Amino acid sequence: MSRLTEAAGRIKRDALTVYFIARNPETPFYVRLLALAIASYAASPIDLIPDFIPVIGFLDDIILLPLGILLVVKLTPRAIIVESRAEAIRAAEKPVSTAAAVVVVAIWVLSAISLGYWLMNQS
């Protein structure tokens, strides 16, 4: 179980590194787009395959996300990776962003209101 926890921590750190790779202006444009997509997917509460589906639900978290991170790292110049990893370590030590939590909650609330409005108009 500790190996699994350690691997999850590594993936979280690497996803943060990918986010900083996407923000670096020296990163090639196509890598920035891919890195932004991977970092957004890693931070998103919405999965490609829902986690409640037994076994298959965790495949995107266990296979797809690490493969995406690996691809971004392979396409990124070494100096940018080193700089982004250092920035990710510094950022991980900071407290969690309240503003980001508010944005995520606002998106969920707006989505729920929109869905309710759409469902009421379907009858």
Side-chain angles (χ1 to χ4, degrees), residues 8-63:
R10 250 192 336 266
I11 289 174
K12 183 178 178 182
R13 187 196 67 230
D14 289 345
L16 192 54
T17 299
V18 167
Y19 168 73
F20 287 115
I21 288 171
R23 292 188 57 197
N24 191 319
E26 296 173 13
T27 303
F29 182 72
Y30 64 94
V31 178
R32 287 179 81 180
L33 288 178
L34 178 63
L36 186 59
I38 297 297
S40 297
Y41 184 74
S44 172
I46 300 169
D47 284 342
L48 193 60
I49 305 168
D51 289 342
F52 63 81
I53 299 174
V55 181
I56 297 172
F58 293 105
L59 284 180
D60 58 343
D61 298 329
I62 295 171
I63 296 173

Side-chain angles (χ1 to χ4, degrees), residues 43-115:
S44 172
I46 300 169
D47 284 342
L48 193 60
I49 305 168
D51 289 342
F52 63 81
I53 299 174
V55 181
I56 297 172
F58 293 105
L59 284 180
D60 58 343
D61 298 329
I62 295 171
I63 296 173
L64 296 178
L65 190 56
L67 285 176
I69 291 170
L70 182 64
L71 181 61
V72 169
V73 168
K74 291 284 185 191
L75 296 173
T76 305
R78 185 80 183 135
I80 295 173
I81 294 170
V82 170
E83 181 181 325
S84 298
R85 279 195 178 135
E87 203 168 345
I89 290 169
R90 282 192 303 273
E93 293 171 354
K94 293 181 183 177
V96 177
S97 171
T98 309
V102 168
V103 169
V104 170
V105 169
I107 289 171
W108 276 103
V109 168
L110 289 174
S111 297
I113 290 169
S114 298
L115 178 63

